[in-house]
Amino acid sequence: MHSLVEKTLDNTMSNVPPQKNTIDSSAVKHWHAETEVLIVGGGGAGISAAIEAADAGAKVMVLEAASEPGGSTALAGGLIYMGGGTPTQTACGFEDDTEEMYSYLLRASGPNADIEKVRLYCDRSLEHYDWLIRQGIVFKPEYYPNKHVNTPNEAALMITGNEEAWPYNAHAKPAPRGHKPQIKGDHGGIPLMKHLIQSAREKGVEIICDARALNIIKDGAAVVGIAARIDMQTKYFRAHNGVILTTGGFIMNSEMVESYAPRLARGNHRNGNPNDTGDGIRMGISAGGIGINMDEGFICTPFYPPRQFIESIIVNESGARFINEDVYHGRLGSAILDRPDGRYYLIIDSRHFETLNRPPMGGYPVAGTGDSIEELEQELLLPSGTLVDTLASYNRYATDGQDPTCHKHSKYLIPLDQPPYAAFDLTVGNGAIYATMTFGGLDTLPTGEVITADKAVVPGLYAAGRSSAGLPRCAEGYASGMSIGDATFFGRLAGFSATKRHLNRT
Ligand SMILES: Cc1cc2nc3c(=O)[nH]c(=O)nc-3n(C[C@H](O)[C@H](O)[C@H](O)COP(=O)(O)OP(=O)(O)OC[C@H]3O[C@@H](n4cnc5c(N)ncnc54)[C@H](O)[C@@H]3O)c2cc1C
């Protein structure tokens, strides 16, 4: 039996040398600066933490390794997962319910879900929406109805995950919950971070750039500061209330990816910024924290748009379908990287091919063509009769709007019965895009407090965003918006908790 407990233990980093040391505060001769809340990493989680801490009355400082704050959040599509009846959902004519959102997100978070975090996130989703609006973020109340990786126009709202796809649609009522800050095109992370950074600065938050945090400073069991590299010198920053680690994930650290998340190492596009090297996770472990869910991450192979590809079928080297083709691209990517050495093809007929108005987003080369499906089957070197049988069965049921094999939604079921046929190659290593980022990170309470393997709080240490194991827990269930939603929401909670914790000031 491979129990959940065993899986969790397998995925921890507790048994690994953290490659970082803590520094004892007695060794610090001169504090370069003192603050109440010290935040390491000025991306979505860090700046949200800073705003909340400043609002709660703390003096706040952010150390940022790059020359500008923003992190991967600024590079992102900017989708934020929110629901339960947001003003944008309502303005676009959608009803949503917190319980439906909870039911969906719990399933989307997979077997390692942090139930407490999912519950809190859903219960406070409307409040989080209001908070984002208060920071100046605008969501244009317009719904983008097609399946896409992001809204390609200014529209704020779209369905971003597996909500309408089996098996999720059998457990929760679907609703569009991806909210993109207003911008022409799909770079919603830019206006998101612009407004958050501006808000933080207006509240007096000091953001120090070109400052790479190296080590945690401890006084006994408590975390009291950070050593950082600035202008080729090591400088010591004292934090009277707490240190919040928000340095993002570790997809750019090949050694960590290969050790902890080998499935992600098979990807060919790392989704992130150059500083996604796991510094916060490693610092947190050095101070007593533990990394959990380390093998998990996002795996995207963007096979849509166009819609014609959703109406096609995807088969493996046995000529068999293995997934409903209306899933979120991350669910397909996850299924393929579960068996990365297999061959995978998207089979399309001429009715669909001839109406294509764009090449496949995922960079898939053409693997073969055939005047008949038999000819295509031979060209792809599939076992005789397999693809022929698969397509015959698919077409028979699709005519009646049914898919008993993989449960694709009836709105995408159109028989693929117009020869000639073509196959696009989704095989890993043959040119298809497999973009990855990590989900594993420090184990934290919903308050952001970093906890040890024994679930004890590390005094004065907090983490949020991809430095922590938050809401996104598994590739097969992930929906766009869960990461930025998690980073901004739980970043806020960490900022608030750190502010409310008072060490004895010396
Ligand atoms: C192209 C792209 C599109 C995406 N689209 C979406 C989307 O639409 N919706 C969604 O939910 N997610 C999306 N994601 C994922 C999402 O952007 C990230 O998972 C999330 O923003 C991470 O937030 P964070 O605050 O944890 O990290 P970041 O925003 O990356 O912030 C971490 C910061 O810490 C800094 N840092 C790192 N190490 C140190 C150090 N030692 N000292 C000081 N500073 C340090 C970094 O420079 C960075 O500024 C996308 C990602 C990419 C790359």
Side-chain angles (χ1 to χ4, degrees):
M1 188 188 73
H2 191 72
S3 72
L4 266 187
V5 174
E6 279 168 336
K7 179 165 166 50
T8 305
L9 289 176
D10 285 351
N11 300 342
T12 66
M13 282 178 67
S14 57
N15 52 346
V16 176
Q19 305 157 17
K20 289 264 179 202
N21 298 317
T22 56
I23 295 173
D24 193 277
S25 62
S26 61
V28 178
K29 301 289 173 253
H30 170 70
W31 293 101
H32 174 75
E34 303 204 14
T35 189
E36 287 169 332
V37 173
L38 182 61
I39 295 168
V40 184
I47 299 297
S48 300
I51 293 171
E52 197 73 49
D55 275 347
K59 182 178 178 199
V60 188
M61 212 172 259
V62 179
L63 301 177
E64 168 54 53
S67 299
E68 292 285 341
S72 295
T73 315
L75 299 176
L79 285 161
I80 307 168
Y81 203 87
M82 293 180 289
T86 67
T88 304
Q89 287 179 312
T90 307
C92 293
F94 292 96
E95 280 182 9
D96 194 14
D97 181 275
T98 302
E99 291 314 307
E100 296 292 345
M101 178 185 177
Y102 174 71
S103 183
Y104 175 74
L105 270 189
L106 196 57
R107 187 161 281 265
S109 303
N112 284 339
D114 185 326
I115 297 172
E116 219 185 326
K117 283 182 185 167
V118 178
R119 184 76 256 178
L120 198 62
Y121 184 80
C122 295
D123 286 349
R124 287 187 54 182
S125 185
L126 296 180
E127 184 271 334
H128 191 49
Y129 177 99
D130 289 344
W131 182 86
L132 289 164
I133 299 293
R134 285 204 304 280
Q135 311 316 314
I137 289 147
V138 176
F139 298 109
K140 187 174 182 197
E142 197 178 304
Y143 175 61
Y144 183 74
N146 303 326
K147 232 168 137 53
H148 205 302
V149 295
N150 201 341
T151 78
N153 52 18
E154 287 187 89
L157 193 65
M158 69 181 287
I159 289 197
T160 58
N162 291 295
E163 292 88 339
E164 288 187 316
W166 184 87
Y168 299 87
N169 58 5
H171 295 276
K173 192 174 157 213
R177 302 195 183 98
H179 290 66
K180 187 190 75 175
Q182 187 168 7
I183 189 169
K184 286 198 176 79
D186 57 4
H187 288 99
I190 295 171
L192 172 66
M193 284 315 297
K194 184 184 126 207
H195 288 294
L196 291 182
I197 292 163
Q198 188 178 331
S199 171
R201 286 193 165 127
E202 282 168 7
K203 291 170 193 294
V205 171
E206 187 181 354
I207 303 174
I208 304 172
C209 292
D210 296 310
R212 179 174 297 278
L214 301 174
N215 304 91
I216 279 175
I217 303 169
K218 286 182 94 175
D219 181 356
V223 170
V224 296
I226 285 286
R229 198 76 179 155
I230 300 174
D231 289 338
M232 295 195 289
Q233 287 174 11
T234 302
K235 296 189 172 168
Y236 302 95
F237 292 80
R238 179 94 159 96
H240 290 288
N241 287 31
V243 168
I244 306 179
L245 301 170
T246 50
T247 65
F250 62 89
I251 196 63
M252 297 299 175
N253 185 325
S254 300
E255 203 185 335
M256 283 180 79
V257 172
E258 268 154 35
S259 301
Y260 306 115
R263 192 168 65 133
L264 304 184
R266 297 296 297 265
N268 56 3
H269 180 90
R270 297 169 187 218
N271 232 20
N273 76 83
N275 291 321
D276 274 331
T277 48
D279 288 7
I281 298 172
R282 287 181 291 137
M283 279 189 269
I285 288 168
S286 73
I290 181 172
I292 62 164
N293 209 40
M294 294 297 285
D295 61 343
E296 271 297 350
F298 169 68
I299 302 162
C300 159
T301 190
F303 70 103
Y304 59 81
R307 178 190 172 104
Q308 288 90 328
F309 285 178
I310 305 169
E311 293 171 354
S312 301
I313 59 169
I314 299 172
V315 299
N316 58 21
E317 72 275 10
S318 303
R321 291 172 71 215
F322 55 95
I323 199 159
N324 40 329
E325 294 85 1
D326 57 346
V327 290
Y328 175 65
H329 50 70
R331 188 165 171 82
L332 175 67
S334 173
I336 290 181
L337 283 203
D338 276 346
R339 282 190 57 252
D341 297 325
R343 290 187 288 137
Y344 300 93
Y345 303 108
L346 187 143
I347 310 294
I348 192 166
D349 73 346
S350 67
R351 175 178 19 213
H352 288 84
F353 191 90
E354 280 166 12
T355 56
L356 287 178
N357 56 4
R358 55 176 299 161
M361 238 189 147
Y364 313 127
V366 173
T369 54
D371 284 335
S372 66
I373 199 68
E374 288 83 358
E375 201 179 300
L376 182 64
E377 183 185 271
Q378 281 170 16
E379 193 159 326
L380 298 176
L381 302 175
L382 298 174
S384 175
T386 53
L387 182 59
V388 171
D389 285 353
T390 296
L391 196 73
S393 165
Y394 178 81
N395 284 346
R396 194 164 59 245
Y397 285 107
T399 309
D400 298 332
Q402 289 177 21
D403 177 17
T405 313
C406 293
H407 312 284
K408 183 153 70 174
H409 197 287
S410 57
K411 70 180 173 184
Y412 297 115
L413 289 172
I414 297 169
L416 300 167
D417 55 5
Q418 306 285 310
Y421 291 93
F424 286 98
D425 200 346
L426 272 63
T427 305
V428 178
N430 282 3
I433 291 175
Y434 285 88
T436 54
M437 69 178 192
T438 58
F439 289 159
L442 295 166
D443 197 5
T444 57
L445 300 176
T447 52
E449 290 162 290
V450 172
I451 54 178
T452 65
D454 300 327
K455 308 285 177 207
V457 166
V458 179
L461 189 62
Y462 302 78
R466 298 290 57 77
S467 294
S468 68
L471 215 54
R473 291 276 170 135
C474 75
E476 62 264 35
Y478 183 73
S480 286
M482 280 174 73
S483 192
I484 295 180
D486 165 87
T488 51
F489 179 72
F490 288 102
R492 288 177 58 204
L493 298 201
F496 184 79
S497 315
T499 305
K500 296 296 169 195
R501 174 182 175 274
H502 292 282
L503 290 176
N504 289 331
R505 300 182 185 185
T506 51

